[in-house]
Amino acid sequence: MDHLVVVTGGPGSGKTTLIDHLAGLGHRRTVEAGRAIIRDQREIDGLGLAWRDDALFAELMLAWEMRSHREAAEHDGLVLCDRGVPDLVGYHRLRGLPVPAHLWAATRAFRYRRTVFVAPPWPEIFAGDTERHQSPEEAERTFEAMCEAYPACGYELVTLPRVPVADRARFLLDHLDG
């Protein structure tokens, strides 16, 4: 699964902006689970929201990530993944939830390129919105949780620089070519 490249980190660190930019250059991409689930659950007044049922929200995100992985794996060429299955290990730890055995099994079954790009907290661009309720402090804790979760799942992290999106994209692509 060397063609599946994860970009992770805390909220508001420019991950999705980077992936959107690269998609505009013709690269395939996945959609972030959390935002999509929040939109869907709000639309139906569902229980699968972090502030209603954290464990259910985590299970919905896991199902989303596994489906995204399967769909992305069918394609040849680079696919940029807006988070991945190991993000759920970080999420569980961040929220004080035990990491269930089936999640560890998922991290072994749904693999990505060994090199994972992590976007560090970037207070200057951080902004909340209708789906992002986290504070800058929680964004920092999320970043730290991802920096622990991915290596625990056998991945190597490369920290993205805090530079304009075109430069960040060039950094990522150059690193993949190198």
Side-chain angles (χ1 to χ4, degrees):
M1 294 299 142
D2 225 28
H3 68 294
L4 304 181
V5 175
V6 172
V7 178
T8 190
S13 58
K15 297 176 309 303
T16 302
T17 299
L18 171 62
I19 291 170
D20 288 346
H21 178 81
L22 289 163
L25 298 176
H27 297 285
R28 292 188 183 277
R29 56 96 43 92
T30 67
V31 174
E32 182 183 4
R35 282 183 174 276
I37 290 165
I38 290 168
R39 279 192 301 272
D40 289 350
Q41 291 294 302
R42 280 187 166 163
E43 187 173 322
I44 63 169
D45 195 29
L47 299 177
L49 296 162
W51 52 92
R52 288 190 177 168
D53 187 335
D54 225 3
L56 176 58
F57 182 63
E59 286 300 314
L60 291 172
M61 287 195 297
L62 176 58
W64 182 286
E65 292 297 354
M66 291 187 309
R67 187 196 73 217
S68 290
H69 185 284
R70 281 192 184 99
E71 290 175 358
E74 292 176 2
H75 298 286
D76 293 328
L78 179 67
V79 179
L80 296 153
C81 301
D82 197 337
R83 301 194 177 277
V85 171
D87 272 79
L88 277 299
V89 171
Y91 181 81
H92 277 77
R93 290 177 172 171
L94 180 67
R95 303 297 284 191
L97 299 170
V99 180
H102 70 277
L103 176 51
W104 286 117
T107 67
R108 291 186 298 274
F110 295 87
R111 300 298 295 174
Y112 305 86
R113 185 184 193 102
R114 185 170 166 78
T115 301
V116 170
F117 293 89
V118 60
W122 197 346
E124 292 80 11
I125 67 168
F126 181 89
D129 58 33
T130 56
E131 283 105 30
R132 181 181 297 134
H133 293 215
Q134 298 95 337
S135 67
E137 295 76 26
E138 189 169 3
E140 173 80 33
R141 289 190 304 274
T142 302
F143 167 77
E144 291 166 1
M146 297 312 140
C147 286
E148 293 173 10
Y150 273 88
C153 295
Y155 295 93
E156 296 174 359
L157 296 177
V158 173
T159 302
L160 292 166
R162 291 183 192 108
V163 294
V165 68
D167 296 331
R168 211 176 219 196
R170 200 167 15 267
F171 174 88
L172 185 149
L173 293 172
D174 287 349
H175 197 86
L176 293 176
D177 288 341

